[in-house]
Amino acid sequence: MLDRFCAMLLFVIFVGAFGAENTEYCEMLGDPVFPLLSKDGDITIGGAFSIHSQISKTSLSFTDVPEALTCSRIDLREFRFAQTMIFAIQEINNSSSLLPNISIGYKIFDSCGSTLTSTQAVMGLLNGQERTSGKTCSSRSSVHAIIGASDSSSTIVMLQSSGIFQIPVISHFATCACLSKEYPSFFRTIPSDYYQSRALAKLVKHFGWKWVGAVRSDNDYGNNGMATFITAAHQEGVCIEYSEAISSTGPSGNVAKVVRVIKSGTARVLVAFIAQGDIDILVEEALKQNLTGLQWVGSESWITAGRLATKRYSGILTGTLGFAIRKTKITGLKGFLLQVNPGQDSHNNLLREFWEATFGCSFQSGIHGQTLCSGSEILEDINNTFTDVSELRISSNVYKAVYAVAHAMHNMLKCGDAMNPQCIWKDDFEPKQILQSVRHAHWSTGQMKITASVFQR
Ligand SMILES: *[C@@H]1O[C@H](CO)[C@@H](O)[C@H](O)[C@H]1NC(C)=O
Ligand SMILES: *[C@@H]1O[C@H](CO)[C@@H](O)[C@H](O)[C@H]1NC(C)=O
Ligand SMILES: *[C@@H]1O[C@H](CO)[C@@H](O)[C@H](O)[C@H]1NC(C)=O
Ligand SMILES: *[C@@H]1O[C@H](CO)[C@@H](O)[C@H](O)[C@H]1NC(C)=O
Ligand SMILES: *[C@@H]1O[C@H](CO)[C@@H](O)[C@H](O)[C@H]1NC(C)=O
């Protein structure tokens, strides 16, 4: 919570308004933030993914301007989400039936799995990069809708800034039930934990487990999801022996302490509502302390994580149960992903970084022990998280989110239609009109043989 509060303090002051003479004049006060991937179009869809998983530590003295945040360690799964968004946009751009003759652009920012960077990202999405946006302060948002973010806390931070402008935010991965209660411009293509938490309680009851331990991430996702689970579990007659919170950014030693509590408990069933960034730390510590013999019950964020289904963790996690997000196929995505290479845009640092991480080479010569990247390495020779399309769950939620926005805009532009009685043309419509349209959109994507719709609950 403090984290989020600081984020608001630090970055909301980016835009300042000066009342000068007769006209208002607006100028950006901080430095603009740039998208990692972007392309212009008549309509622009923004994206925020946790493309990197580690953020630099900054000291917040509140007396000096804080250092710029830097993100490192590319997350190949999140990079796949970003590329899936681009794939869907291209598919719609190429379509002659959906938004014909309208080009769609995108701006994709890195939320870096942190509320601080997410604030920066949403400011970039709203403000654009121009330091002065013209003579008046009433310029438009630089994007018409936002896809993201990959976790609940980051999504909340984005909504705190974008909500007042009524820009629709559609998340592919934020499950916290708290989001739908507070933010009318929020939508998602993933079910809310309102359902998951109850279902987990029923699952535990189903197997006759009456005495369980509970562990959660100390963030919006874990705290809300677990609170609902505990209430539902009590109603099902299940008792909770302990309820512990882990924090990967909090005081060190917290995870070790939590594992000691679990170990000394008598419950043989452990319900873990843990965010993606925290689960590795918890399982590593469990391994260190030889925490075996437990039946784990997991939440959707980690239950299908391939990186945990290894021999290393088999002694701890074998037999784990939980609910997974529906798996789908996206025709053409694999081929699209295999085309991604640094030659697509020689100035793009992210593409080069992706290449270096994938092939273990470097574009800079003279780095000891590193081979030089040629740029013509072959992605098809590699099997990694980025190219693996056998388990498309969250990626398909990204795909659906882009289609939701496109259908909403398409419906709006149908001249004379109920959504567009005044015949608004593409240059004139505002995000808040899209918001209305998303609410009413029911659609099916060409590829997925299921009718999809966004959830607002
Ligand atoms: C969309 O199509 C237009 C026109 O064909 C093209 O110029 C633009 O680059 C395309 N945009 C994307 C994101 O592919
Ligand atoms: C869109 O059309 C372009 C040009 O025909 C093609 O290169 C690209 O692969 C298409 N993209 C998708 C996702 O269908
Ligand atoms: C798209 O543009 C072409 C060429 O300008 C035009 O012939 C066609 O009618 C347009 N289609 C729609 C649906 O507006
Ligand atoms: C870990 O626990 C198992 C079973 O509880 C036990 O057999 C094994 O010896 C323990 N290993 C270590 C290194 O403590
Ligand atoms: C990648 O995985 C596929 C399918 O599992 C397999 O056929 C292929 O040989 C693998 N390629 C490499 C380079 O490991």
Side-chain angles (χ1 to χ4, degrees):
M1 198 59 202
L2 180 66
D3 204 13
R4 207 196 299 157
F5 179 66
C6 292
M8 295 306 293
L9 276 184
L10 276 177
F11 298 108
V12 165
I13 39 176
F14 264 25
V15 178
F18 305 98
E21 305 283 286
N22 294 321
T23 51
E24 280 182 317
Y25 180 70
C26 277
E27 188 185 15
M28 191 184 289
L29 293 181
D31 292 322
V33 240
F34 293 92
L36 295 188
L37 299 161
S38 66
K39 186 154 204 167
D40 291 334
D42 297 330
I43 286 167
T44 311
I45 305 181
F49 301 96
S50 182
I51 294 174
H52 292 92
S53 58
Q54 202 166 52
I55 183 175
S56 56
K57 292 242 185 308
T58 46
S59 58
L60 298 173
S61 65
F62 295 100
T63 53
D64 296 305
V65 175
E67 293 161 49
L69 300 166
T70 52
C71 295
S72 55
R73 209 191 295 152
I74 188 166
D75 182 328
L76 293 179
R77 183 175 179 224
E78 295 275 337
F79 185 58
R80 162 153 50 79
F81 299 164
Q83 291 294 339
T84 304
M85 172 172 162
I86 298 176
F87 171 78
I89 286 176
Q90 272 199 10
E91 212 174 60
I92 296 161
N93 202 30
N94 288 354
S95 153
S96 53
S97 56
L98 189 56
L99 292 170
N101 288 1
I102 293 179
S103 70
I104 310 178
Y106 53 85
K107 286 186 182 175
I108 297 175
F109 283 82
D110 193 358
S111 64
C112 217
S114 149
T115 49
L116 286 172
T117 347
S118 300
T119 313
Q120 226 171 12
V122 73
M123 286 298 148
L125 287 163
L126 302 182
N127 287 337
Q129 281 70 52
E130 299 84 25
R131 290 195 65 96
T132 49
S133 55
K135 289 205 170 54
T136 73
C137 295
S138 60
S139 71
R140 279 157 207 246
S141 154
S142 85
V143 293
H144 290 87
I146 298 171
I147 312 285
S150 290
D151 66 274
S152 295
S153 295
S154 297
T155 309
I156 289 173
V157 159
M158 297 210 314
L159 283 160
Q160 282 169 342
S161 304
S162 65
I164 43 172
F165 303 109
Q166 301 188 45
I167 296 168
V169 172
I170 306 183
S171 177
H172 53 286
F173 211 170
T175 54
C176 186
C178 57
L179 281 153
S180 26
K181 281 185 222 131
E182 284 179 57
Y183 304 98
S185 56
F186 173 74
F187 300 87
R188 55 180 135 214
T189 50
I190 190 164
S192 159
D193 288 338
Y194 174 86
Y195 304 104
Q196 179 176 208
S197 293
R198 276 148 219 264
L200 285 173
K202 288 205 186 299
L203 179 90
V204 168
K205 163 85 178 303
H206 173 82
F207 287 102
W209 297 326
K210 296 237 164 80
W211 182 239
V212 303
V215 58
R216 66 184 189 272
S217 284
D218 189 10
N219 58 20
D220 295 288
Y221 170 74
N223 292 336
N224 281 281
M226 186 53 85
T228 308
F229 170 79
I230 289 176
T231 310
H234 282 151
Q235 284 164 3
E236 300 289 348
V238 175
C239 297
I240 312 291
E241 182 185 7
Y242 52 83
S243 177
E244 291 290 318
I246 64 165
S247 165
S248 56
T249 51
S252 56
N254 160 285
V255 180
K257 184 194 137 256
V258 169
V259 172
R260 280 196 297 275
V261 171
I262 297 170
K263 230 186 145 176
S264 59
T266 56
R268 294 332 306 155
V269 176
L270 178 65
V271 179
F273 228 103
I274 306 279
Q276 22 169 7
D278 291 344
I279 188 69
D280 302 79
I281 303 165
L282 177 62
V283 175
E284 267 308 317
E285 185 62 35
L287 199 64
K288 210 160 122 192
Q289 296 193 30
N290 196 19
L291 183 70
T292 50
L294 282 186
Q295 168 66 50
W296 290 62
V297 176
S299 56
E300 97 301 336
S301 69
W302 64 273
I303 198 75
T304 53
R307 64 178 192 283
L308 297 173
T310 55
K311 198 150 193 284
R312 180 171 176 80
Y313 302 126
S314 64
I316 295 172
L317 294 178
T318 298
T320 299
L321 292 173
F323 295 100
I325 301 304
R326 184 196 288 266
K327 180 165 95 175
T328 53
K329 281 199 166 61
I330 304 177
T331 313
L333 181 62
K334 175 94 183 181
F336 179 85
L337 294 178
L338 291 178
Q339 278 173 28
V340 173
N341 73 79
Q344 286 177 322
D345 177 358
S346 55
H347 300 295
N348 191 298
N349 289 334
L350 178 63
L351 293 177
R352 292 157 74 92
E353 190 189 342
F354 158 65
W355 208 251
E356 291 177 338
T358 301
F359 294 102
C361 58
S362 167
F363 280 102
Q364 275 179 318
S365 56
I367 294 185
H368 182 70
Q370 286 261 344
T371 51
L372 204 61
C373 297
S374 70
S376 54
E377 288 82 4
I378 298 167
L379 211 44
E380 277 163 77
D381 291 348
I382 297 267
N383 278 344
N384 67 10
T385 318
F386 178 73
T387 59
D388 181 4
V389 296
S390 63
E391 296 276 330
L392 297 178
R393 299 171 193 275
I394 309 302
S395 301
S396 80
N397 287 342
V398 173
Y399 182 81
K400 285 192 263 183
V402 176
Y403 268 86
V405 173
H407 278 274
M409 293 200 223
H410 182 87
N411 291 344
M412 267 184 60
L413 293 173
K414 266 194 261 164
C415 187
D417 199 80
M419 289 315 296
N420 189 11
Q422 282 123 28
C423 298
I424 303 164
W425 181 230
K426 64 185 182 193
D427 299 330
D428 299 319
F429 68 71
E430 310 239 0
K432 70 175 176 212
Q433 293 164 311
I434 301 173
L435 183 65
Q436 294 305 325
S437 187
V438 173
R439 244 176 232 145
H440 294 100
H442 294 285
W443 42 273
S444 62
T445 72
Q447 279 208 17
M448 291 178 194
K449 300 270 183 295
I450 50 165
T451 308
S453 67
V454 289
F455 307 110
Q456 213 180 6
R457 175 146 206 182

